[in-house]
Amino acid sequence: MVDGKVNYDDVIPNNVAISDSRKLQRAIKEWHPKFMKWWWERGPESYQHNDVYLRTAITVDASGWATYAYVRMPEYKWGIFLAPKKTETIHFGDRQGQETWESVPGEHRNDLRRLIVTQADTEPGSVEQQQLLGHSAPSLYDMRNLFQVNVEEGRHLWAMVYLLMQYFGRDGREESEGLLIRNSGDADTPRILTTFNEPIVDWLDFFCFAMFTDRDGKYQLGALAESAFAPLARTTQFMLTEEAFHLFVGETGVGRTIRRTAQLMKETPNEDVTTVDAIPLDIVQKYINYWYSVSLDLFGSEDSSNAANFFGASLKGRFGESNRKKYPDPLCRDTAYSIECLDENGRKTTTEIPMRRAMNAVLRDTYIEDTYRALRRWNKVFEKEDIQYRLQLPSDRFNRKIGLHAAHQADVEGNFLTAEEWEKRKDEWLPTPEDKAYVKTCMVPVREPGKFANWITPPYRGVSGKPIDFEYVRL
Amino acid sequence: MATELEKISFETQPDRYNHIILLVDGPIARIRLNIQEDKPLREGYKLKLNSYDLGVDIELDDAVNRLRFEHPEVSVVCIESALSGMFSAGANIFMLGASSHTHKVNFCKFTNETRINIEEATQKSGQRYVAACNGLAAGGGYELALACSEIHLIDDRKSAVSLPEVPYLGVLPGTGGLTRVVDKRKVRRDRADVFCTVAEGVKGKRAVEWGLVDYVHPSSQFVDRVNERLKELAGSGNDAKGISLTPIGATVEGGTHKYRHVTLDINVESRSARLVIEGPEASAAQIPDDPAELGADWYALRMWRELRDAILQLRFNYPTVGTISIVSKGDLKNVLALDQVVYARKDHWFVREVLLQQARVLKMIDVTARTFYALVTPGSCFAGSLMEIVFASDRAYMLDDDEGDNGIALSVLNGGALPMYHRLSRLQNRFYEEQDTVDAILERSGEIIETQEAYDLGLVTEIPDDIDWEDEIRVALEERISLSPDALTGLEANLRFVGPETMESRIFSRLSAWQNWIFSRPNAVGEKGALTSYGQPDKPEFDWSRV
């Protein structure tokens, strides 16, 4: 337990000098027990007393950011780290060329707080969504990866809370507490973003979430890593290094699922893998349609005055903003962004949005490019297994609830649908209760080291040089 | 004459007046308008026909205030003209046409305060003002007469009282004219409508009949009749001996205005200022039998005169300095003791005037278009009368320290002795229609109230502790400074006053607000606007949309 006599630097690995800061010590002293209570109540269920082979960040350099050992999750050392400073000057927006900020300018306090709280809220949200998944893990390897993701989301929460505590005074402390009070899916106090209130009931959900939704996180963090507010830029930069693993879990998870299905299709009459408890590719495609479309919503509206303010005030840039080959114009005052939408008659029309207002769409486009790269790798599995099937990403107009495309329904090709047509046909594209029920039947827990459920292949290699049959979780 | 860059000074005295002659003869005083057309405050216009600018009004204000402190024996004051056949043509139109919007607004506010002070002197100080209009009283000239408790007009078949702003200038009689005609003089609204659109005004018997003036006298008898009336009103007078209202003499170095008890630190670059008020010594509460012996150096008077000057400096000389932190240094107990004796002797003419002066300065803060944040830290002395400054502020931040060294206090003066323009006390204004709350708070008068309790009682806005304090305050100020100055002015003007209106509050909340809107409209100040084209050969051109 943390109290006044404890050396905070021992309890919380950090490079922000907690032991020199009365402000941080006071805030952490109040918040830490609440975080622990939250972790016990809403963190991974049933496995809190087990040893898990986890990676912990001790320092930000190459030698320390990934140290592996058996740890019980509640004893995990959630650290606070800032990546080394990349730049002394602001490199985009109206403040371009000025010094970056070491404290929050009063003028931007509310916007920055909102950006940080919105990002922070997703971290515990996802832990809550995944609370029960350990029970149906297809292997110890996967179970360990789930818990690794969970503790790192917990660390990301710490990273964001650090910013709130250090730079936002009492408001920041109240917001920090709010992050533990809101609860995924709760009727009264849900998580801020809808996607983080959607239940994650099976492992295909989890893999898709890690693949698509965590990838939104990567792009949001990357945009914040450009911020003129240096502590935010440095915190999110370091979070990105950990986020990469979550995307890996998602992409390879879906990849291993479809490889197993492809293998079984060749061995099964009529290619019907439901007879052997594997997941048909059509269902995988529906899961992809769902998680991809709700993740696109996370970027916010394509035409957004908030986005314009954030960019203009140098609070949030584009992904890889400093790459001036990709983004030659650091100001974006006079350019425009074209987007193809559907009008009320279902015709495609091109809308021009002033570039700054379109920053959400710009960020989303880099995300889409990235997801297509993963899609190509998945489809390579079919080439290798000599299967004709190819997975696809739906149109960005499909199943949208936020932004310019939310006005009308569209099919996966992006063609206009009336409300009636949508109701009639949506089950072709989105998982139905029957699909979900079927996937659930496949989710049989496998607890023996090196063994895997029948619906998924083993990975190519284990964690950090350990063999695949290593005892990743000691049950 | 000052150029735009030179700072305006608000200190003057009778032997330095350019434009008015102050005459005192026993109980009767005369403020004679003798406006020198070649001595405007700024270059570029002539003060013809007793028309006035801020320079004239600074003298007028000084005279009104000086009569109250230096000549308590005076019971009637006649405002008259040194010109024959002309009382006053009002505010100088060319001055208005050439002034920035900011200056116009500030000028009108100052003028409004002076007019209200004339009425206050009549009501509270026993100095009754009489306007002797020996000729035309137009626009601001008539508005000055309206501030008096009675108006005498010469009946020479040509001299009228008039408010020609609407037909001539496309603006309003905005220094109380519209309000006083109906509110104070009770002129019927339809007649007032006629009066305010007839440029040449109303004269003779009809002026009396409509209630625009009280008396008309034939030319030959005008002086005698007025004098008779002055004598009648003056009565036998009294033998009170006034004090000498000595200069407060600030030293100015860079952006720092340093007075004896008040320091105003301006930071133009960050558009903010810090106002430091030093509290009284314990000795300030020792009052002789005749309190007037304390004179102008008494803390209870001097600090408030200094504070007034500091606020005027901010208003006129630092238009972009929008956010003011107010801090104080001193002993809470000394303020409480001083307030106690002020209250105990409030019926003595001098103490009464001191209290009225304090109330006037606080009212000025209420209507000053700047953000005020009071910062209460250990060693500050926001008690009683000084606590009113905290209540007048838009927000108060109080440091929550572990030792319990930080406190505020209330005194007997918080119970209504320093009312706002709408006559509520600032506590009543803060807890509107919650008299029980107000009473419960007032029961704590004399006690030192520590931070948490002050917060629980609703007396301060936020109570950051020592760890958060510096950041909280910095961010709060930076945040405020970044907001639209116009929106803040509107926000503050609306939130600072709740509940009832009085004639005075209506002048600021309704008349000034409309006037300031018109002052920024092309129909008044555009290239072809009425104010711009006054005196030019071309007629104004209006955008005819009724907005």
Side-chain angles (χ1 to χ4, degrees):
Chain A
M1 192 88 306
V2 181
D3 67 40
K5 289 167 198 151
V6 169
N7 182 348
Y8 283 86
D9 293 343
D10 290 344
V11 181
I12 302 159
N14 72 88
N15 64 354
V16 296
I18 296 176
S19 52
D20 297 339
S21 166
R22 277 174 66 217
K23 179 157 62 174
L24 279 179
Q25 286 172 26
R26 187 259 305 267
I28 289 171
K29 192 172 161 185
E30 280 175 27
W31 193 75
H32 186 253
K34 292 175 184 162
F35 170 81
M36 289 312 301
K37 184 167 179 285
W38 169 82
W39 180 266
W40 278 102
E41 289 174 2
R42 296 196 236 148
E45 196 179 87
S46 304
Y47 299 96
Q48 305 264 19
H49 296 287
N50 298 100
D51 283 331
V52 186
Y53 191 68
L54 290 176
R55 163 177 95 173
T56 307
I58 311 287
T59 60
V60 292
D61 52 38
S63 67
W65 83 271
T67 320
Y68 289 85
Y70 279 113
V71 184
R72 288 189 190 96
M73 282 186 278
E75 288 156 24
Y76 188 79
K77 288 194 170 181
W78 284 284
I80 300 173
F81 296 104
L82 304 182
K85 209 168 173 182
K86 280 204 298 193
T87 170
E88 297 291 334
T89 49
I90 301 169
H91 55 287
F92 69 95
D94 295 337
R95 304 295 188 91
Q96 193 201 13
Q98 296 175 14
E99 256 179 72
T100 55
W101 315 319
E102 287 305 323
S103 57
V104 177
E107 187 181 347
H108 301 306
R109 174 194 176 104
N110 288 331
D111 281 343
L112 278 169
R113 188 178 61 189
R114 182 167 160 195
L115 280 170
I116 291 169
V117 169
T118 307
Q119 177 62 39
D121 196 63
T122 66
E123 316 290 357
S126 68
V127 173
E128 290 162 356
Q129 285 174 295
Q130 297 158 15
Q131 181 173 36
L132 302 175
L133 280 180
H135 294 299
S136 57
S139 70
L140 291 184
Y141 165 86
D142 288 291
M143 185 191 268
R144 176 266 164 206
N145 284 351
L146 168 71
F147 295 157
Q148 181 71 55
V149 168
N150 289 161
V151 292
E152 283 179 353
E153 298 297 1
R155 202 202 70 75
H156 290 181
L157 173 61
W158 273 87
M160 294 280 106
V161 161
Y162 157 73
L163 293 175
L164 292 170
M165 288 171 171
Q166 176 72 7
Y167 298 101
F168 293 87
R170 202 183 71 184
D171 284 354
R173 292 195 295 278
E174 282 173 8
E175 293 285 7
S176 301
E177 215 178 318
L179 290 167
L180 300 176
I181 293 170
R182 282 188 294 275
N183 188 2
S184 179
D186 191 283
D188 296 326
T189 55
R191 290 292 164 189
I192 296 169
L193 300 171
T194 318
T195 306
F196 291 86
N197 291 303
E198 306 290 345
I200 294 182
V201 294
D202 59 57
W203 277 75
L204 189 53
D205 272 333
F206 171 59
F207 290 143
C208 286
F209 177 92
M211 164 69 201
F212 293 108
T213 306
D214 273 337
R215 195 173 302 268
D216 160 74
K218 168 185 164 183
Y219 283 86
Q220 299 298 340
L221 291 174
L224 295 174
E226 305 292 337
S227 180
F229 178 40
L232 175 61
R234 297 172 63 194
T235 305
T236 46
Q237 186 62 43
F238 186 68
M239 290 161 75
L240 276 169
T241 59
E242 290 165 321
E243 201 71 29
F245 172 72
H246 306 189
L247 306 184
F248 163 85
V249 169
E251 185 184 331
T252 57
V254 174
R256 288 160 55 212
T257 307
I258 59 173
R259 179 180 304 117
R260 185 63 185 147
T261 302
Q263 289 168 354
L264 291 168
M265 279 165 75
K266 289 186 293 188
E267 298 167 10
T268 320
N270 302 326
E271 300 188 336
D272 181 7
V273 297
T274 60
T275 57
V276 286
D277 296 337
I279 303 169
L281 294 176
D282 287 342
I283 293 185
V284 176
Q285 178 66 58
K286 287 182 179 184
Y287 271 64
I288 290 173
N289 292 344
Y290 173 77
W291 283 103
Y292 177 70
S293 56
V294 298
S295 299
L296 291 183
D297 275 347
L298 287 173
F299 287 86
S301 179
E302 291 81 1
D303 182 4
S304 160
S305 54
N306 277 333
N309 290 342
F310 295 159
F311 185 87
S314 312
L315 304 180
K316 184 179 175 185
R318 290 163 289 187
F319 189 83
E321 178 67 51
S322 45
N323 179 355
R324 287 284 160 248
K325 276 192 192 134
K326 184 160 190 202
Y327 301 118
D329 176 10
L331 295 178
C332 299
R333 279 211 188 92
D334 314 310
T335 47
Y337 177 93
S338 304
I339 184 166
E340 200 171 65
C341 299
L342 298 174
D343 68 14
E344 56 269 30
N345 301 313
R347 282 189 299 258
K348 289 175 187 165
T349 55
T350 302
T351 305
E352 296 261 303
I353 305 169
M355 188 59 79
R356 285 188 176 188
R357 296 180 60 91
M359 283 302 164
N360 288 339
V362 172
L363 190 62
R364 198 201 53 190
D365 287 347
T366 52
Y367 166 90
I368 291 176
E369 273 174 43
D370 194 14
T371 44
Y372 268 99
R373 280 194 289 274
L375 180 79
R376 283 194 289 274
R377 287 191 288 271
W378 287 340
N379 282 331
K380 283 227 170 78
V381 171
F382 301 126
E383 285 171 30
K384 262 192 194 161
E385 301 290 340
D386 200 20
I387 293 276
Q388 291 307 304
Y389 197 93
R390 294 292 180 269
L391 290 169
Q392 282 164 358
L393 293 176
S395 159
D396 63 357
R397 294 194 283 273
F398 171 77
N399 190 37
R400 296 293 301 281
K401 305 278 193 294
I402 288 172
L404 300 177
H405 301 311
H408 307 290
Q409 293 296 355
D411 65 15
V412 287
E413 309 289 336
N415 300 310
F416 177 84
L417 294 177
T418 64
E420 298 82 54
E421 287 171 321
W422 167 257
E423 276 308 312
K424 219 160 59 187
R425 297 188 58 193
K426 66 177 185 196
D427 288 353
E428 293 173 31
W429 306 304
L430 291 173
T432 62
E434 294 75 33
D435 296 333
K436 303 285 290 183
Y438 172 72
V439 172
K440 208 173 170 195
T441 63
C442 303
M443 297 292 125
V444 284
V446 175
R447 294 286 176 267
E448 198 180 322
K451 301 285 185 207
F452 289 78
N454 197 41
W455 59 271
I456 190 165
T457 61
Y460 285 120
R461 60 187 75 84
V463 175
S464 184
K466 295 289 177 205
I468 290 171
D469 62 359
F470 183 71
E471 193 178 10
Y472 288 105
V473 183
R474 286 179 179 151
L475 295 174
Chain B
M1 277 180 286
T3 66
E4 274 290 337
L5 292 173
E6 282 174 58
K7 304 287 181 220
I8 299 168
S9 164
F10 297 89
E11 283 224 89
T12 186
Q13 54 197 50
D15 58 11
R16 288 167 49 200
Y17 290 169
N18 288 319
H19 304 295
I20 64 177
I21 300 164
L22 179 61
L23 300 164
V24 179
D25 181 10
I28 298 174
R30 292 170 190 274
I31 291 175
R32 186 169 293 164
L33 303 175
N34 184 35
I35 297 173
Q36 304 299 299
E37 60 177 55
D38 295 330
K39 292 185 179 171
L41 186 65
R42 305 274 198 217
E43 285 169 27
Y45 54 88
K46 288 192 166 207
L47 296 173
K48 290 182 174 171
L49 304 174
N50 266 352
S51 65
Y52 63 84
D53 65 359
L54 180 66
V56 176
D57 235 73
I58 289 171
E59 292 181 8
L60 181 61
D61 176 77
D62 185 77
V64 172
N65 204 37
R66 214 164 272 282
L67 283 172
R68 297 169 82 166
F69 281 101
E70 298 194 341
H71 297 284
E73 75 277 14
V74 166
S75 56
V76 60
V77 184
C78 180
I79 298 187
E80 59 190 35
S81 165
L83 303 186
S84 86
M86 168 56 72
F87 179 69
S88 166
N92 189 280
I93 308 309
F94 301 101
M95 176 275 293
L96 284 177
S99 296
S100 66
H101 180 73
T102 310
H103 185 80
K104 282 201 282 285
V105 170
N106 275 321
F107 165 72
C108 290
K109 187 171 283 174
F110 186 91
T111 309
N112 270 322
E113 285 169 337
T114 307
R115 305 297 174 268
I116 288 171
N117 291 347
I118 287 173
E119 281 164 341
E120 191 193 70
T122 300
Q123 288 155 13
K124 305 265 174 70
S125 305
Q127 295 189 332
R128 198 178 173 88
Y129 275 72
V130 173
C133 303
N134 61 327
L136 177 69
Y142 179 54
E143 288 179 305
L144 175 59
L146 282 170
C148 299
S149 59
E150 59 183 62
I151 303 173
H152 297 249
L153 174 65
I154 194 165
D155 186 5
D156 57 3
R157 304 286 155 148
K158 62 174 189 183
S159 294
V161 293
S162 70
L163 292 176
E165 284 85 347
V166 172
Y168 275 173
L169 308 171
V171 299
L172 302 180
T175 45
L178 292 184
T179 316
R180 285 195 175 85
V181 165
V182 287
D183 259 58
K184 179 179 180 182
R185 303 223 41 115
K186 315 274 193 299
V187 176
R188 223 171 60 205
R189 56 161 285 193
D190 52 346
R191 284 176 167 170
D193 185 287
V194 173
F195 173 62
C196 294
T197 48
V198 175
E200 71 268 24
V202 174
K203 52 187 181 283
K205 285 206 177 69
R206 177 182 282 184
V208 179
E209 205 180 298
W210 285 19
L212 295 165
V213 305
D214 297 287
Y215 305 96
V216 285
H217 311 296
S219 303
S220 57
Q221 297 168 26
F222 184 76
V223 173
D224 292 342
R225 291 277 189 86
V226 169
N227 284 341
E228 275 166 34
R229 178 65 180 159
L230 293 176
K231 271 187 200 139
E232 189 186 333
L233 291 171
S236 51
N238 65 63
D239 56 1
K241 282 268 185 310
I243 66 155
S244 174
L245 217 47
T246 49
I248 49 173
T251 57
V252 184
E253 262 189 57
T256 303
H257 293 244
K258 193 153 179 37
Y259 308 82
R260 188 181 298 169
H261 306 295
V262 173
T263 305
L264 175 64
D265 258 320
I266 302 278
N267 187 334
V268 173
E269 202 182 329
S270 73
R271 303 195 298 278
S272 63
R274 192 176 167 87
L275 189 58
V276 185
I277 296 168
E278 278 176 41
E281 300 289 326
S283 57
Q286 287 155 16
I287 299 201
D289 284 346
D290 179 6
E293 286 170 21
L294 292 163
D297 275 345
W298 188 27
Y299 179 90
L301 175 57
R302 178 161 183 129
M303 191 287 282
W304 293 91
R305 288 178 66 211
E306 294 176 356
L307 183 54
R308 172 183 183 273
D309 194 71
I311 290 164
L312 291 172
Q313 293 299 330
L314 278 167
R315 280 190 191 170
F316 283 91
N317 294 330
Y318 301 99
T320 60
V321 174
T323 306
I324 322 298
S325 327
I326 304 184
V327 300
S328 65
K329 288 182 200 162
D331 192 332
L332 290 164
K333 294 206 178 84
N334 292 351
V335 185
L336 289 176
L338 177 57
D339 281 3
Q340 197 61 47
V341 298
V342 166
Y343 188 76
R345 299 297 303 276
K346 67 180 166 31
D347 296 328
H348 184 276
W349 77 266
F350 176 60
V351 181
R352 177 194 71 215
E353 288 306 326
V354 165
L355 207 46
L356 289 169
Q357 171 80 64
Q358 294 185 3
R360 284 199 296 279
V361 178
L362 287 162
K363 286 175 184 170
M364 284 176 71
I365 298 177
D366 294 334
V367 297
T368 294
R370 306 295 159 98
T371 295
F372 293 99
Y373 283 180
L375 307 181
V376 188
T377 51
S380 64
C381 58
F382 288 116
S385 49
L386 297 191
M387 189 62 199
E388 288 289 318
I389 298 171
V390 177
F391 293 146
S393 300
D394 299 289
R395 294 187 199 174
Y397 290 84
M398 186 168 183
L399 178 73
D400 189 11
D401 69 330
D402 294 338
E403 280 76 40
D405 286 339
N406 203 13
I408 53 166
L410 298 158
S411 80
V412 66
L413 294 188
N414 299 114
L418 302 164
M420 299 175 70
Y421 273 127
H422 60 353
R423 290 190 201 118
L424 298 184
S425 71
R426 281 179 193 74
L427 270 177
Q428 287 170 325
N429 188 66
R430 192 175 184 86
F431 302 102
Y432 184 50
E433 295 188 333
E434 292 177 50
Q435 193 58 41
D436 290 351
T437 308
V438 173
D439 292 342
I441 289 168
L442 285 171
E443 262 182 41
R444 311 287 302 274
S445 291
E447 282 176 47
I448 289 173
I449 301 171
E450 288 176 15
T451 307
Q452 186 61 51
E453 220 192 337
Y455 181 79
D456 294 341
L457 289 169
L459 301 177
V460 294
T461 318
E462 297 285 353
I463 50 168
D465 63 15
D466 61 330
I467 298 176
D468 288 336
W469 177 262
E470 210 176 306
D471 242 18
E472 260 330 292
I473 301 304
R474 176 187 64 80
V475 169
L477 291 171
E478 285 180 5
E479 191 174 54
R480 192 68 164 196
I481 288 163
S482 72
L483 299 175
S484 154
D486 296 340
L488 285 179
T489 295
L491 171 86
E492 290 155 1
N494 277 282
L495 299 183
R496 284 175 188 178
F497 289 85
V498 301
E501 293 279 9
T502 58
M503 186 186 78
E504 294 89 337
S505 71
R506 286 214 311 132
I507 286 173
F508 291 107
S509 67
R510 187 185 290 258
L511 182 59
S512 301
W514 281 111
Q515 176 79 312
N516 296 344
W517 176 71
I518 293 167
F519 272 163
S520 65
R521 293 276 297 163
N523 283 342
V525 295
E527 212 177 309
K528 304 266 167 103
L531 198 55
T532 317
S533 42
Y534 180 75
Q536 308 289 323
D538 293 331
K539 270 185 64 169
E541 284 177 23
F542 294 130
D543 165 0
W544 294 108
S545 309
R546 288 289 290 257
V547 182

